[in-house]
Amino acid sequence: MNTRFRLRRLIIIWAIAAPLQLADASEVEPGCRTWFADHHIELTKTEKRWLCGDAGSSAWREIPVNQRIYFARNFLQDRGYHDPQFRIERSDLYITLGAQTRVQKLEVDDATNLVRWRRMRGISGEPLTPELLNGIERRAKRSLSYQGYPCSRVSSIAHPEKSSISLESELGPKVQFGSVEVEESSDSIDLLERYFAFRPHWAFDSRLLEITSQRMLQDDLFLSSYFDWRCEPNYQLRQNLMVAKPRIVTVGLGVDTEVGVFGLARWKHANLDSLASVLETSLSASFREQALALELRKYLSRKSPFYFSGRASARHENEHQYETLTYEMGGYPTTAVEFRFGRTLLSCGPLLAFTKTLEGEGPQSRRTLYWAGKLDFMSHLYEYFLGDPQEGWTLNLGLDSQFKGTLAETTAHRLKLQGQVLQNFLGWDPPFLIFGWRYNLGTFFVGKDRLRVNGLPVNQRFFLGGDADIRGFSRKEL
């Protein structure tokens, strides 16, 4: 008697609960006859069409229930729902999504262990989806290509029942840089070596290929540049290029909190002769500074990065502490040297300057012949992340010397050292926190007579303040 009573009570409770559960269901769209029983998720128009049919198409007007179940499994798997339950009530389909599967563990083999997975963000706790698996494979291949393995193969396997992912990989051979095959046939092809961020027999690093392409695009010699590599039957590196038109006109207008509205107009001939020399003229203007400049970069060889730079400019500066008008003309032999850590630019040459001080300390007018030298270092990591700063460093050393008796009234040496260091905290990928340091050191060497500094034009002295160095002070206030 007690057993029968309990069975009847269970049947009554189920009969009452089932209609209540169906009452909480939400239909995908009116008239679709496909319902989400526990909670609703948004679907795309295409997904709704595959579940609900298309009244405008006779072939897709009615979707069989079994076909709807097949489509729904794929849609839900893309969102991390791997154990949905389906119930059919006449022609209505009720879908119970269940819990979303999230990644709790990543299992890797010895080869894939070269990747710093513990520093990879966006994996643990994320929904287990095909998109996540593809992203993990891409990140693994990219990381291995940084370490000399461009031909690695990585496959991922999802284990929804364990909320885990396992990776299997084949590293392939460790590769060094060698010859480069160029897809585009052009007279400019043998000029490419001056842009290379790598050298033969260096360990392969795909980031150096991207840096090389960035340099070519910045010089406006090419519209497009990218590398790809083939691994079978033998490793081969290829560069794909699209040559740009040599003459380029650029016009820009912007607003800055320090100088107000500013504008720039530039004309550039990026392929002046058979050596791809460059001629450029630019005009820039703001409330604080107006400048007109003409620059020639004359290469002496098709492959060498060595060139002669000639420059003439006129500049008007109207700062808080001074107002000057400066005319300059000079020439600098310049060369670039590629190291494993980065690139070095070295230039040195004479500079003739005429400065007229309209307001501020110092001589009212001064004509001076300088010997200007500059040494710049930039790490490959800094150059690689130039558009999205994350890591790397720069170091810039400048020395301007004038000697009494050579179009100068006094002997003085102006030394300036500046740079920047960026550090990705704990090496997270993508970065979580980036630390940055900037330093700027400057001094004069004038011998025993310190009063000689008063004979220097005011715009050759050191001023601090503003976004460039010390924030919290107005531009060049100190």
Side-chain angles (χ1 to χ4, degrees):
M1 180 69 67
N2 292 336
T3 302
R4 291 180 180 176
F5 176 75
R6 289 176 182 175
L7 289 175
R8 289 174 183 173
R9 185 169 60 182
L10 288 174
I11 293 172
I12 293 173
I13 291 175
W14 179 86
I16 295 174
L20 289 177
Q21 184 177 8
L22 297 181
D24 293 336
S26 61
E27 196 170 12
V28 172
E29 63 179 21
C32 180
R33 310 198 72 174
T34 300
W35 307 73
F36 290 117
D38 45 1
H39 59 273
H40 185 81
I41 62 173
E42 292 296 329
L43 299 178
T44 65
K45 291 183 178 180
T46 300
E47 291 171 340
K48 290 179 180 180
R49 184 179 303 168
W50 288 7
L51 289 179
C52 306
D54 185 357
S57 172
S58 58
W60 288 87
R61 185 174 293 112
E62 293 290 338
I63 308 297
V65 174
N66 291 336
Q67 194 70 28
R68 279 185 275 166
I69 293 176
Y70 173 78
F71 289 148
R73 286 189 186 277
N74 293 329
F75 301 156
L76 297 177
Q77 189 179 71
D78 290 341
R79 293 167 171 79
Y81 296 97
H82 295 273
D83 191 25
Q85 303 298 318
F86 300 93
R87 186 174 70 257
I88 302 174
E89 297 286 341
R90 297 181 180 178
S91 296
D92 290 338
L93 175 63
Y94 292 88
I95 306 173
T96 302
L97 302 179
Q100 191 179 41
T101 304
R102 295 183 177 271
V103 179
Q104 298 180 5
K105 186 178 181 181
L106 180 65
E107 302 172 349
V108 300
D109 56 14
D110 293 338
T112 320
N113 202 35
L114 291 173
V115 182
R116 301 177 61 187
W117 290 112
R118 294 185 178 181
R119 301 302 182 192
M120 291 285 186
R121 299 173 58 220
I123 297 178
S124 179
E126 294 296 317
L128 181 55
T129 63
E131 182 180 359
L132 179 65
L133 297 180
N134 294 334
I136 290 175
E137 292 179 4
R138 287 194 299 268
R139 294 169 77 173
K141 291 178 181 179
R142 184 176 67 242
S143 180
L144 292 174
S145 72
Y146 297 164
Q147 304 176 58
Y149 298 98
C151 300
S152 61
R153 297 180 180 180
V154 180
S155 60
S156 59
I157 303 175
H159 305 282
E161 69 282 358
K162 299 190 297 183
S163 299
S164 67
I165 300 173
S166 61
L167 291 180
E168 298 178 355
S169 63
E170 297 179 9
L171 288 180
K174 192 164 188 177
V175 174
Q176 294 180 337
F177 284 114
S179 61
V180 179
E181 177 187 344
V182 181
E183 180 70 17
E184 176 71 28
S185 58
S186 170
D187 295 337
S188 302
I189 296 307
D190 58 350
L191 302 171
L192 302 181
E193 292 187 17
R194 69 173 64 159
Y195 299 100
F196 283 176
F198 54 89
R199 293 291 180 265
H201 308 300
W202 285 10
F204 185 93
D205 187 339
S206 61
R207 290 172 294 190
L208 300 183
L209 301 180
E210 295 187 43
I211 292 173
T212 300
S213 293
Q214 290 174 9
R215 292 176 181 176
M216 294 180 179
L217 298 180
Q218 289 171 0
D219 242 8
D220 296 319
L221 197 58
F222 300 95
L223 281 177
S224 173
S225 171
Y226 66 93
F227 290 85
D228 56 31
W229 51 87
R230 301 173 181 174
C231 298
E232 295 179 355
N234 296 314
Y235 165 78
Q236 187 176 22
L237 182 63
R238 173 185 291 186
Q239 185 175 17
N240 302 273
L241 298 169
M242 182 180 295
V243 179
K245 294 183 178 180
R247 297 174 182 82
I248 300 171
V249 177
T250 305
V251 179
L253 186 67
V255 179
D256 186 88
T257 56
E258 288 189 331
V259 300
V261 179
F262 65 91
L264 171 67
R266 185 186 67 166
W267 177 87
K268 183 177 183 180
H269 197 306
N271 197 358
L272 194 62
D273 54 22
S274 61
L275 302 178
S277 299
V278 179
L279 178 64
E280 179 178 347
T281 181
S282 63
L283 173 65
S284 60
S286 69
F287 293 118
R288 291 294 177 192
E289 182 176 339
Q290 304 84 43
L292 175 65
L294 176 66
E295 182 177 1
L296 171 66
R297 196 160 73 238
K298 173 63 178 177
Y299 285 95
L300 304 180
S301 170
R302 295 184 65 84
K303 295 185 179 181
S304 172
F306 181 83
Y307 62 89
F308 175 82
S309 177
R311 179 180 174 85
S313 66
R315 183 175 69 256
H316 173 249
E317 297 177 85
N318 186 11
E319 302 291 348
H320 291 290
Q321 300 203 45
Y322 65 87
E323 182 179 1
T324 59
L325 185 61
T326 304
Y327 302 94
E328 293 179 339
M329 182 173 61
Y332 311 92
T334 305
T335 190
V337 182
E338 205 72 39
F339 296 98
R340 292 182 184 271
F341 67 83
R343 197 182 203 195
T344 302
L345 287 175
L346 173 63
S347 63
C348 182
L351 174 66
L352 179 62
F354 174 78
T355 302
K356 184 176 182 180
T357 303
L358 305 177
E359 183 179 345
E361 299 179 356
Q364 295 301 310
S365 62
R366 181 58 53 88
R367 183 178 59 179
T368 309
L369 177 64
Y370 295 99
W371 289 91
K374 195 173 183 181
L375 183 61
D376 297 332
F377 297 92
M378 179 183 291
S379 71
H380 282 146
L381 281 178
Y382 189 94
E383 190 173 3
Y384 178 73
F385 292 114
L386 202 58
D388 183 20
Q390 298 180 17
E391 199 169 351
W393 56 270
T394 61
L395 174 65
N396 309 108
L397 178 64
L399 177 63
D400 296 334
S401 298
Q402 62 182 50
F403 300 94
K404 186 176 181 179
T406 56
L407 294 181
E409 297 184 3
T410 184
T411 298
H413 308 280
R414 184 178 187 266
L415 179 65
K416 187 173 183 180
L417 176 67
Q418 61 183 4
Q420 185 177 20
V421 179
L422 297 176
Q423 180 64 47
N424 180 6
F425 180 66
L426 296 179
W428 291 106
D429 181 21
F432 173 74
L433 182 64
I434 298 174
F435 290 107
W437 296 269
R438 290 189 298 182
Y439 53 90
N440 196 332
L441 306 175
T443 187
F444 284 98
F445 296 96
V446 293
K448 297 180 180 180
D449 188 3
R450 297 181 179 274
L451 296 179
R452 293 177 182 174
V453 178
N454 296 329
L456 298 175
V458 64
N459 62 348
Q460 291 295 317
R461 305 179 188 185
F462 295 106
F463 292 89
L464 298 175
D467 293 341
D469 36 59
I470 302 181
R471 299 185 180 182
F473 295 88
S474 60
R475 174 183 166 95
K476 297 186 179 182
E477 179 182 354
L478 303 177

